[in-house]
Amino acid sequence: MVTLTRTPGDSASGPRLAPAAVTAAVVAFVVIGVQQSLYGPAIPALRAAHDISAGAAGAALSVHFLGAVLGVLALPRSRRRGIADGTFLAAALALIASGCVGFLLAPGWPLALTAAFVAGVGFGGIDGGVNQVFTEIYTGDGGGHGMLNLLHGCFGVGAIAGPVAIGLLPGYGWAFVACAVGSVIVLPVLLGIRTGRVADPRRAGRRVLSLLGLALIGFFVLHVGLETGAGGWETTHLISTGLTASAAATATSGFWFAFTAVRFAVVPLCRRFPPRTIVIACTVMTPVAAVATLSHPLAPWAYGLLGVAVGPLFPTGLAWLGQLRPELIPTVVAVSMLGGVAFPPALGLAVESFGPGAVPWGLVGVALTTVATLALITGLASRPGPNR
């Protein structure tokens, strides 16, 4: 199957993925969105099936993310060895399918965790690999960052659908089976991807850890931390403001809905505004929304606004990164996960020490730090020189 097409404008904009390949990549992102969201809702069933504690059951998600980091970082090594991107992506889907099935069939919890790790490696391979391919192919095109927002919006759809599926299906295992089946279905299509990407020798010699590189990495870690911190602690904070547990949970769902919906909504804007403009506008909005969460009456709506502000940052930021330092994409995708690992527990410690009122103050602090980091990036990016 041919997965690259050329149009009369290719001399200026480069090759494009064929519609079948784009569809397969989008479906793969829905699959990994579902996959990531399954472990938490499955905890009660996992505890009963394996006779384990809640903490042990929660280790599945930690192991998943550990594997994901390795999967993301495997892409540069794969390319250095001359392995085609399609082969890499197909292998990642095979790991997801085998890991999901192994997780269900494992006779004991240690083997189940091993399977979760395998599936996590596949998750990271798809996350890093598809992001890399889409960034390289579409970033040079005006509005091409809309493709990244579309892609990540579909990831959000999967993340929303996963818990719903566990609630509707007769057992949690069916949702994992669906991930495996979806992976197998799109595997042959992604196997045929040939991007023809050749390393740019002018970029290859750049120091990854230049000041600009560090600032870019820091920016992604911060806004992912803001995203996961708000989503993880919003319910706790809103209950402390007087909302019922049900109303607070509904408001938290609203945050994730806004976070996902805005990625689709911003797609048409990407034809009019470059990624830098959208990133700056959304980042400046984050401290405004975070400060508004300090007001009890405004807090539920402010979290929704924060979801709108944060939603486009990762995909649009990747498009901007592809223009500034494309060699950093695998590193950024992997290291940005640290924001999700570190910031929610840090907020938890603050809540233990100062109460739920610490949540909005923590969000304000991270949002302001993100704005400051963005200011540093824009200043450094405007400087000439290969090691900026």
Side-chain angles (χ1 to χ4, degrees):
M1 178 176 293
V2 178
T3 55
L4 282 179
T5 60
R6 291 189 175 274
T7 65
D10 275 350
S11 59
S13 60
R16 293 290 179 268
L17 290 176
V22 173
T23 301
V26 167
V27 172
F29 252 57
V30 174
V31 167
I32 65 173
V34 172
Q35 178 195 355
Q36 177 178 307
S37 68
L38 293 180
Y39 293 104
I43 283 178
L46 293 173
R47 292 185 64 187
H50 294 278
D51 191 23
I52 53 177
S53 67
L61 191 56
S62 298
V63 168
H64 163 86
F65 275 114
L66 178 61
V69 171
L70 295 179
V72 172
L73 295 178
L75 178 63
R77 180 177 294 273
S78 172
R79 284 184 161 186
R80 286 195 296 269
R81 291 177 176 271
I83 298 173
D85 288 340
T87 302
F88 178 86
L89 295 174
L93 287 170
L95 289 175
I96 291 174
S98 59
C100 286
V101 172
F103 188 75
L104 292 178
L105 300 181
W109 188 236
L111 288 176
L113 288 179
T114 302
F117 175 82
V118 170
V121 174
F123 172 99
I126 292 298
D127 190 15
V130 174
N131 272 314
Q132 183 83 42
V133 170
F134 269 52
T135 301
E136 291 173 350
I137 290 179
Y138 295 109
T139 294
D141 180 26
H145 44 298
M147 291 297 295
L148 284 164
N149 277 283
L150 175 66
L151 183 70
H152 284 262
C154 290
F155 176 92
V157 169
I160 292 170
V164 173
I166 283 188
L168 295 178
L169 294 171
Y172 77 94
W174 289 103
F176 282 93
V177 170
C179 286
V181 171
S183 299
V184 171
I185 289 174
V186 299
L187 189 155
V189 184
L190 291 186
L191 180 62
I193 287 181
R194 299 291 185 271
T195 60
R197 185 70 176 180
V198 178
D200 185 344
R202 294 171 299 176
R203 297 180 184 270
R206 287 185 178 179
R207 291 183 296 119
V208 170
L209 297 183
S210 65
L211 185 55
L212 176 59
L214 289 173
L216 286 164
I217 291 172
F219 175 78
F220 278 84
V221 170
L222 286 166
H223 80 248
V224 169
L226 186 62
E227 163 198 331
T228 54
W233 287 99
E234 176 183 353
T235 302
T236 300
H237 171 231
L238 291 180
I239 289 174
S240 75
T241 68
L243 267 66
T244 64
S246 175
T250 300
T252 303
S253 298
F255 167 84
W256 290 115
F257 177 80
F259 176 88
T260 299
V262 72
R263 289 177 165 177
F264 293 107
V266 81
V267 170
L269 297 178
C270 293
R271 282 287 172 186
R272 298 185 58 187
F273 301 101
R276 176 181 181 274
T277 300
I278 295 175
V279 168
I280 291 174
C282 290
T283 303
V284 170
M285 195 190 305
T286 60
V288 176
V291 168
T293 63
L294 293 166
S295 166
H296 289 186
L298 294 177
W301 304 101
Y303 277 107
L305 180 62
L306 187 59
V308 170
V310 176
L313 285 181
F314 195 90
T316 313
L318 279 182
W320 192 22
L321 180 66
Q323 296 173 350
L324 295 174
R325 297 290 300 275
E327 71 278 8
L328 273 181
I329 291 172
T331 302
V332 160
V333 173
V335 177
S336 66
M337 295 179 185
L338 295 178
V341 172
F343 189 57
L347 266 184
L349 292 175
V351 169
E352 288 183 6
S353 301
F354 305 105
V359 172
W361 285 109
L363 298 177
V364 169
V366 176
L368 290 173
T369 306
T370 306
V371 171
T373 305
L374 178 63
L376 176 62
I377 291 170
T378 55
L380 292 172
S382 64
R383 296 180 183 177
N387 293 320
R388 60 188 181 187

